[in-house]
Amino acid sequence: MPELTWQKSSYCQEGNSCVHIATDPTGTVHLTESSDPTAAILSTTPTAFAALLRTTQRRADAKTA
């Protein structure tokens, strides 16, 4: 796997409970947590990641409505 450049979620406060995301040259999306970013890395397609984001946004919107 090529060297990944991780970006922290803009919703993350300081601490060890943050999601980090990176993409590789093939477009694969990689997710990990900040408490141990090299231990467990989940990989998915851009389409599946977009579906995850849509689903979590809908649930967040439903809770605030």
Side-chain angles (χ1 to χ4, degrees):
M1 181 182 304
E3 180 86 20
L4 297 172
T5 302
W6 295 99
Q7 294 182 310
K8 183 170 63 170
S9 168
S10 60
Y11 290 97
C12 182
Q13 302 297 322
E14 294 300 318
N16 288 333
S17 299
C18 301
V19 173
H20 290 220
I21 183 172
T23 58
D24 66 25
T26 68
T28 300
V29 178
H30 304 279
L31 300 150
T32 192
E33 64 172 316
S34 59
S35 63
D36 192 359
T38 60
I41 298 173
L42 303 175
S43 300
T44 189
T45 65
T47 303
F49 183 64
L52 172 69
L53 294 178
R54 283 191 305 274
T55 301
T56 56
Q57 182 62 47
R58 280 194 299 261
R59 289 184 181 173
D61 290 345
K63 288 182 179 180
T64 60

